[in-house]
Amino acid sequence: MTSTTSQQELFRFLEDRFACAQACTECARACALRASLVDPDGTENQELVRRKGIMCAEVCDATCRVLSEQNQVDEGTIRVQVEWCRTVCLEAAHVFDRQPGAEDSAAACRACARACTDFLATLN
């Protein structure tokens, strides 16, 4: 491997890491907003939307913090956190799909899941 190749891989790693952190931030905002719009005393489906929105916002926020740490978290921990984030985002997107008016939140969750997948591909 040449130094140019390893430098390109490093740039891709950092770009994907930043893109994942940015997508997590956007998803956390969308999910927190979606959860806040649901009546806490609503139907069972509304309660599911609220809970999934809160959980997704919290997981995305935690993932963004992990990705923002500079060399303080090992790669295995990062992988587990990002995989968890991807899973939670996809679950939330499926729940939001069944909720009228939640299309933007579902899209943000799917974008975050894609960014997580892209970032995971840069890890060894």
Side-chain angles (χ1 to χ4, degrees):
M1 182 184 313
T2 66
S3 64
T4 304
T5 302
S6 60
Q7 192 174 35
Q8 288 171 340
E9 288 174 351
L10 176 61
F11 287 150
R12 177 167 180 233
F13 171 81
L14 293 173
E15 287 172 349
D16 286 350
R17 185 174 180 151
F18 177 75
C20 186
Q22 189 173 19
C24 286
T25 299
E26 292 302 315
C27 187
R29 281 188 198 129
C31 288
L33 177 61
R34 177 57 39 207
S36 73
L37 295 175
V38 176
D39 181 6
D41 297 322
T43 65
E44 186 176 323
N45 185 53
Q46 289 174 326
E47 177 60 20
L48 178 63
V49 168
R50 192 177 72 75
R51 281 186 288 118
K52 286 292 183 181
I54 291 169
M55 182 175 183
C56 191
E58 289 176 352
V59 170
C60 285
D61 185 53
T63 303
C64 187
R65 283 194 311 271
V66 166
L67 292 172
S68 299
E69 295 292 323
Q70 294 297 322
N71 299 326
Q72 300 195 7
V73 181
D74 65 82
E75 186 176 303
T77 301
I78 291 172
R79 179 177 292 284
V80 168
Q81 181 69 40
V82 173
E83 286 174 348
W84 183 37
C85 185
R86 177 178 59 186
T87 300
V88 169
C89 285
L90 291 174
E91 288 174 0
H94 291 302
V95 169
F96 295 157
D97 285 339
R98 297 188 304 261
Q99 179 72 23
E103 295 83 7
D104 290 345
S105 299
C109 289
R110 285 193 176 84
C112 187
R114 276 191 304 278
C116 288
T117 299
D118 291 346
F119 176 63
L120 286 167
T122 66
L123 298 176
N124 294 330

